[in-house]
């Protein structure tokens, strides 16, 4: 009896000349795996013909700006059983397809999260060591390249006014995942490494913009509960609020984001 191999779409957002580095992301052709690429700022940076000629590549040009708009275009053009969100500067694990299929076959959750290591083999952050159900209280630091979802006919989209390339560069992943919880869908973390991401590219410089953006994201994820939680967030994630203006200025900026977030 033949077993159907679950199909996988690896959704890759790229911008301008960065399209040239996608050969470092793509593996040799794998069964039922496609790479769906959205290329923003493409006019002066045509992709290599070898990329376009691959049978497992779908290439989409877009004149939009902002990574969340790119990801939403990719979601709309995906039809696989499993979707994995990828960036143009990662190295996928050798067996990423087997990891994705095994996790989505074992667990019925709508979103399954994995861990990421740097080029030295170190974890990018302090990940749990065991399988873990995710709630609103532990999705605030999830990165996009940790996320995979089951394909379905009722897709959830990223907020397009927040994320890299917008005036609010941080928090889109948490808002995206919170929408799963709003719709009574479940999220699970599985302790397997799905990809490698360069250490020097991890994190983002702390600034008033990033602090304000985190406040907006907290409000959208927790609603009215965000006000008391903001103090706890400030206390537990102090490193995200260290600026030359001082902690008091950071607090004012953060609470301004919480207050104005919607």
């Amino acid at each position: 009896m033949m077993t159907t191999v679950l199909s996988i779409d690896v959704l890759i957002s790229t911008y301008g000349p960065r399209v040239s580095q996608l050969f470092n992301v793509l593996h040799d052709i794998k069964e039922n795996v496609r790479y769906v690429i959205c290329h923003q700022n493409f006019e002066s940076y045509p992709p290599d013909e070898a990329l376009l000629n691959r049978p497992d590549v779908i290439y989409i040009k877009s004149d939009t700006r902002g990574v969340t708009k790119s990801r939403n275009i990719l979601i709309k053009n995906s039809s696989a059983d499993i979707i994995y969100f990828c960036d143009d500067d990662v190295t996928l694990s050798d067996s990423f397809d087997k990891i994705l299929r095994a996790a989505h076959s074992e667990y019925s959750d709508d979103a399954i999260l994995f861990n990421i290591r740097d080029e030295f083999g170190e974890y990018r952050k302090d990940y749990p060591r065991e399988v873990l159900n995710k709630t609103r209280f532990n999705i605030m630091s999830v990165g996009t390249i940790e996320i995979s979802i089951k394909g379905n006919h009722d897709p959830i989209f990223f907020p397009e006014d927040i994320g890299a390339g917008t005036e609010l560069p941080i928090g889109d992943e948490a808002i995206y995942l919170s929408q799963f919880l709003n719709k009574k869908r479940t999220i699970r973390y599985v302790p397997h490494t799905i990809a490698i991401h360069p250490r020097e590219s991890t994190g983002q410089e702390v600034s008033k913009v990033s602090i304000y953006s985190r406040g907006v994201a907290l409000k959208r994820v927790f609603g009215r509960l965000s006000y008391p939680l903001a103090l706890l967030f400030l206390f537990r994630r102090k490193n995200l609020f260290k600026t030359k203006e001082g902690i008091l200025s950071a607090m004012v900026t953060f609470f301004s984001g919480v207050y104005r977030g919607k």
Side-chain angles (χ1 to χ4, degrees), residues 88-107:
D88 57 16
D89 60 349
V90 307
T91 301
L92 292 168
S93 296
D94 290 341
S95 57
F96 78 91
D97 53 324
K98 294 179 181 179
I99 293 171
L100 285 167
R101 289 188 179 112
H104 280 274
S105 295
E106 182 173 358
Y107 302 107

Side-chain angles (χ1 to χ4, degrees), residues 40-52:
Q40 295 174 316
N41 187 26
F42 60 87
E43 291 87 350
S44 301
Y45 308 100
D48 193 296
E49 285 296 324
L51 179 71
L52 298 179

Side-chain angles (χ1 to χ4, degrees), residues 47-92:
D48 193 296
E49 285 296 324
L51 179 71
L52 298 179
N53 290 333
R54 284 187 55 143
D56 57 348
V57 166
I58 297 175
Y59 173 78
I60 303 165
K61 296 184 290 187
S62 175
D63 57 6
T64 61
R65 182 177 177 86
V67 71
T68 50
K69 289 184 179 179
S70 172
R71 296 199 194 284
N72 286 342
I73 290 170
L74 291 167
I75 291 172
K76 292 173 184 176
N77 283 275
S78 176
S79 58
D81 299 313
I82 301 168
I83 292 171
Y84 170 66
F85 295 104
C86 193
D87 281 344
D88 57 16
D89 60 349
V90 307
T91 301
L92 292 168

Side-chain angles (χ1 to χ4, degrees), residues 58-257:
I58 297 175
Y59 173 78
I60 303 165
K61 296 184 290 187
S62 175
D63 57 6
T64 61
R65 182 177 177 86
V67 71
T68 50
K69 289 184 179 179
S70 172
R71 296 199 194 284
N72 286 342
I73 290 170
L74 291 167
I75 291 172
K76 292 173 184 176
N77 283 275
S78 176
S79 58
D81 299 313
I82 301 168
I83 292 171
Y84 170 66
F85 295 104
C86 193
D87 281 344
D88 57 16
D89 60 349
V90 307
T91 301
L92 292 168
S93 296
D94 290 341
S95 57
F96 78 91
D97 53 324
K98 294 179 181 179
I99 293 171
L100 285 167
R101 289 188 179 112
H104 280 274
S105 295
E106 182 173 358
Y107 302 107
S108 61
D109 304 86
D110 302 277
I112 297 181
L113 314 181
F114 302 92
N115 62 55
I116 307 295
R117 296 178 187 256
D118 63 24
E119 67 270 41
F120 305 103
E122 301 293 329
Y123 290 116
R124 279 187 47 178
K125 62 184 74 166
D126 185 18
Y127 291 102
R129 296 184 179 182
E130 66 284 331
V131 174
L132 180 69
N133 291 326
K134 304 291 277 187
T135 70
R136 291 182 198 279
F137 295 95
N138 55 19
I139 60 171
M140 294 302 295
S141 63
V142 173
T144 311
I145 59 174
E146 300 170 14
I147 302 172
S148 70
I149 62 173
K150 287 180 171 63
N152 59 60
H153 300 294
D154 183 21
I156 291 174
F157 296 101
F158 284 84
E160 295 191 350
D161 64 333
I162 192 167
T166 73
E167 294 181 354
L168 300 169
I170 293 174
D172 50 296
E173 298 95 342
I175 297 171
Y176 176 69
L177 291 175
S178 72
Q179 294 179 85
F180 281 78
L181 301 176
N182 292 344
K183 293 191 174 185
K184 307 302 181 184
R185 301 182 188 181
T186 57
I187 305 169
R188 186 181 299 264
Y189 165 79
V190 178
H192 295 299
T193 300
I194 196 70
I196 308 300
H197 193 268
R199 177 187 294 180
E200 64 208 30
S201 301
T202 61
Q204 195 161 1
E205 183 180 351
V206 177
S207 66
K208 281 193 172 184
V209 173
S210 69
I211 293 171
Y212 180 87
S213 186
R214 292 186 192 281
V216 172
L218 191 74
K219 178 63 171 296
R220 294 192 189 179
V221 171
F222 288 100
R224 293 181 180 179
L225 192 58
S226 60
Y227 294 105
L229 286 175
L231 286 172
L232 179 62
F233 194 78
L234 277 165
F235 178 76
R236 297 188 64 179
R237 305 295 300 277
K238 293 179 182 177
N239 60 308
L240 300 177
F241 301 94
K242 292 181 179 179
T243 66
K244 60 183 180 181
E245 289 84 6
I247 188 63
L248 182 60
S249 175
M251 288 177 63
V252 171
T253 301
F254 183 59
F255 275 97
S256 179

